[in-house]
């Protein structure tokens, strides 16, 4: 992957993290365990050479730890989203301010557009934007225009008909080298045609939301076949326990903004 990341922005899970939005039937998350998993995630990013900034939790936003959803950060600037879930709209302010403080200027997605960053997959030759229950067509069009101003070519992918995917990146991850990890239940849509697809078998679908960070691939622990497949392709998987984030429909990518 040509982009090497040097920084990451995270937000710690708060005491009321369990009050966030979820469709999972895996039970309530245990806060102490979520905090420990979050600390290990941060340490993993640091071990990949990134300097991390962690924002404090805000009790008004129990989903705030899923910081990826509120901004898309590119080498030439950021776009602050307008999250698709009403309860998450206010999460953007502190993240926009933190990015500005880190020297990253931003523009915004405006009403009636909605975008969740989990629907935005950056690759080496452009950006895929998923249309989902969270990201609408108006939001995707605005984001595509803003990214165009930043020199990035965006392609939209409508995945509303695919069951069980909260976000585009629930189902795919860009591995670098022209490769996409992709959940088995996602059809080979035309937008994916220019990539080599690395299929993630149905029993390990959650692991498709992995994150290439410099020389490693962060991957959810407990999905050995996918980790082996990555290793066979020459990647260096770094497994991380994600149980308490999975319970709130969160994956690896949503816990940080990397830039
Ligand atoms: C939500 O439903 O918005 C949160 N509970 C989970 C968001 C996960 N974000 C992501 O995958 N990018």
């Amino acid at each position: 992957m040509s982009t090497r990341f040097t920084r990451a922005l995270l937000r710690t899970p708060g005491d009321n993290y369990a009050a966030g939005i979820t469709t999972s039937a895996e039970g309530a998350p245990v806060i102490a365990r979520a905090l420990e998993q979050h600390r290990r995630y941060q340490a993993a990013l640091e071990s990949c050479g990134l300097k991390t900034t962690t924002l404090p939790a805000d009790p008004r936003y129990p989903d705030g730890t899923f910081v990826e959803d509120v901004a898309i950060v590119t080498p030439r600037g950021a776009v602050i989203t307008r999250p698709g879930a009403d309860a998450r709209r206010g999460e953007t302010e502190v993240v926009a301010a933190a990015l500005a403080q880190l020297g990253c200027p931003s523009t915004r997605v405006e009403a009636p557009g909605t975008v969740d960053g989990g629907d935005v997959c950056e690759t080496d030759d452009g950006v895929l934007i998923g249309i989902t229950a969270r990201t609408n067509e108006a939001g995707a069009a605005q984001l595509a225009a803003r990214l165009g101003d930043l020199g990035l070519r965006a392609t939209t992918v409508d995945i509303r008909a695919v069951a069980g995917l909260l976000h585009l990146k629930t189902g795919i991850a860009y591995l670098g080298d022209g490769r996409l990890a992709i959940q088995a239940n996602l059809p080979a849509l035309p937008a994916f045609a220019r990539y080599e697809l690395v299929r993630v078998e149905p029993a390990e679908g959650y692991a498709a939301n992995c994150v290439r960070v410099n020389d490693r691939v962060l991957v959810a622990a407990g999905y050995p076949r996918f980790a082996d497949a990555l290793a066979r392709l020459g990647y260096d998987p770094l497994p991380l326990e994600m149980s308490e984030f999975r319970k709130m429909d969160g994956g690896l990518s949503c816990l940080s903004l990397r830039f």
Side-chain angles (χ1 to χ4, degrees), residues 11 21 60-61 63-72 79-96 107-120 130 132-136 138-140 142-143 166-167 254 257:
R11 196 169 190 179
I21 308 164
R60 291 174 298 170
Y61 305 115
D63 276 313
T65 193
F66 301 117
V67 73
E68 172 183 68
D69 290 322
V70 302
I72 289 87
V79 182
I80 305 299
T81 69
R82 183 167 177 269
D86 286 348
R88 300 196 59 190
R89 293 264 156 87
E91 289 176 26
T92 52
E93 296 319 308
V94 71
V95 172
T107 57
R108 283 179 184 264
V109 172
E110 313 278 359
T114 62
V115 171
D116 274 13
D119 283 316
V120 182
T132 63
R134 297 286 179 92
T135 295
N136 64 18
Q142 284 182 41
L143 178 61
L166 173 62
H167 289 126
C254 39
L257 289 165

Side-chain angles (χ1 to χ4, degrees), residues 27-52:
V30 177
I31 305 303
R33 220 178 281 156
L35 286 169
E36 177 58 19
Q37 291 175 4
H38 198 260
R39 274 191 288 273
R40 287 180 192 268
Y41 179 93
Q42 178 178 0
L45 290 174
E46 288 174 353
S47 78
C48 295
L50 278 61
K51 188 159 185 250
T52 62

Side-chain angles (χ1 to χ4, degrees), residues 206-229:
Y206 180 75
N209 179 258
C210 58
V211 187
R212 172 80 184 266
V213 182
N214 300 343
D215 300 324
R216 308 291 305 265
V217 179
L218 310 193
V219 61
Y223 302 94
R225 282 211 267 268
F226 181 57
D228 283 352

Side-chain angles (χ1 to χ4, degrees), residues 115-127:
V115 171
D116 274 13
D119 283 316
V120 182
C121 181
E122 289 167 59
T123 72
D124 283 326
D125 64 351
V127 180

